Amino acid sequence: ATIDPDHTGDIRQEVTATIKEIAFTVQQITTTNLLPWTYDICYVNVVTKEHNTYCIEVCISGWKVVGYQKDTIDTTISSDYYETLYSLLDHYSPLYRQSFGQAIITKLNQIKSTQS
């Protein structure tokens, strides 16, 4: 694989930041050690609060479920690419949506109470 010396288009930084941002909304989220982790394609394992496991591909096209087990690509799965992990999880995990919404409400209430 060719390494991009300027790291333009390096999705690893986006993936790492996104994992940190949404960790509280899922049971577990980690990068995979068994699948590629390059500047143009990465894989993430997610266990939702519903206890569903997904292996997610991240590339220039977006975020896509490619397996229902950690570190596993199932070529029989036909799923869509999502622009963000947020939109993918919004589709696959109602408890993600609930957790994220509750976090926003909590933050807004904190801001409101400091302004009173």
Side-chain angles (χ1 to χ4, degrees):
T2 305
I3 302 296
D4 180 354
D6 299 325
H7 300 289
T8 53
D10 189 336
I11 60 171
R12 292 174 291 194
Q13 293 174 350
E14 176 189 347
V15 170
T16 302
T18 302
I19 287 172
K20 290 177 185 174
E21 288 175 9
I22 66 108
F24 72 96
T25 65
V26 295
Q27 185 175 336
Q28 182 182 46
I29 183 166
T30 58
T31 58
T32 176
N33 295 323
L34 302 177
L35 299 172
W37 179 257
T38 66
Y39 76 95
D40 62 348
I41 191 165
C42 300
Y43 292 88
V44 176
N45 294 314
V46 174
V47 180
T48 65
K49 290 192 175 189
E50 294 89 353
H51 306 288
N52 297 322
T53 301
Y54 300 101
C55 182
I56 299 170
E57 174 187 283
V58 189
C59 65
I60 192 71
S61 298
W63 301 71
K64 175 182 175 178
V65 171
V66 295
Y68 298 115
Q69 297 177 7
K70 291 180 180 180
D71 304 318
T72 304
I73 298 172
D74 181 345
T75 57
T76 64
I77 293 175
S78 175
S79 63
D80 295 327
Y81 280 103
Y82 292 83
E83 189 173 330
T84 65
L85 181 58
Y86 311 105
S87 57
L88 183 148
L89 287 174
D90 192 57
H91 178 79
Y92 284 93
S93 174
L95 291 177
Y96 158 80
R97 191 177 321 119
Q98 182 180 341
S99 295
F100 200 82
Q102 187 58 48
I104 291 172
I105 290 169
T106 301
K107 188 68 172 173
L108 290 173
N109 285 336
Q110 289 172 348
I111 291 169
K112 183 179 175 182
S113 67
T114 60
Q115 292 177 346
S116 299

